[in-house]
Amino acid sequence: MSKILVFGHQNPDTDAIGAAIAFAYLQDALREETVEAVALGNPSEETQYALDHFGLKAPRVIKNAKDDTENVMLVDHNEFQQSVSDITDVNILAVVDHHRIANFETANPLYYRAEPVGCTSTIVLKLYKEADVTIPKAIAGIMLSAIISDTLLFKSPTCTPEDVAAAKELAILAETDYEAYGLEMLKAGTNLSDKSANFLLDLDAKSFPMGDKNIRIGQVNTVDLDEVFNRQAELEAAMKEENNKKGYDLFVLIVTNILDSDSELLVVGDAKEKIETAFNTKLENNRALLKGVVSRKKQVVPQLTEAFA
């Protein structure tokens, strides 16, 4: 019997892993084929905290899909440069996502569910209801964790009333105080002092073609911006090395203070003036403070895409 792999994007965050686990469980209940959640990277400390809290095992990490299967399902992404290395060699059966649709095509028809909500797991909850499949406590917990993560406990501008309602519903199923648990989970992901510069840059980074440029945008959450920017020279050197090695024209690191809901950018590469245009700011020492900016998806990528158009 054939196997279907379900996975989120490279450098997976809590939603990429949580949505994969939840959607794979649902599909396994609905299909004759074996469905397995896998990951395109190891879980972050935040994600591992959530997995441990709800007694779930981290999905195994794969480097390519073709060795395991011909059929895959994508969650929390669709752009091929963010997916598994051999995505063009496998058959995509389904996509469940909440991002823009770009750099994506298939040879065969597929199931595609995309909604403008704050988290993929909010959509997955709807799919469980539509299929009338009961959500186990642990699965509800990791979906709750994903919503908390993606919406920064409902503070992100990407958060919708649907996300809030979904989180509250899942919290009941998971028997969890979402506010107390959510704050502890988010804090678990801000322990950065012992992490290398390369680890921080790759922790939650995605590549975006914009105009004729290849832009790398990473994001780290913290409760202390100075803890990160005290290492600015080290980070800039690592960003420059990444640009040279992987052909990025511009590397943008978003450092987000989850307590104040502000971010500061660190920028290395060409076309820095596009950053100033996109955010109506001036870079000083390669940095710019963006008040009220916490979402890469809604407050950074669209603005840069327009600036590079």
Side-chain angles (χ1 to χ4, degrees), residues 54 56 134-143 170 172-176:
F54 291 105
L56 291 169
T134 300
I135 305 176
K137 178 180 176 180
I139 299 292
I142 198 64
M143 293 169 70
L170 290 164
I172 293 172
L173 296 176
E175 300 176 6
T176 300

Side-chain angles (χ1 to χ4, degrees), residues 102-123:
N103 311 304
F104 177 86
E105 64 179 6
T106 61
N108 300 309
L110 76 161
Y111 177 86
Y112 202 112
R113 183 75 168 260
E115 297 186 19
V117 293
C119 182
T120 305
S121 290
T122 297
I123 307 170

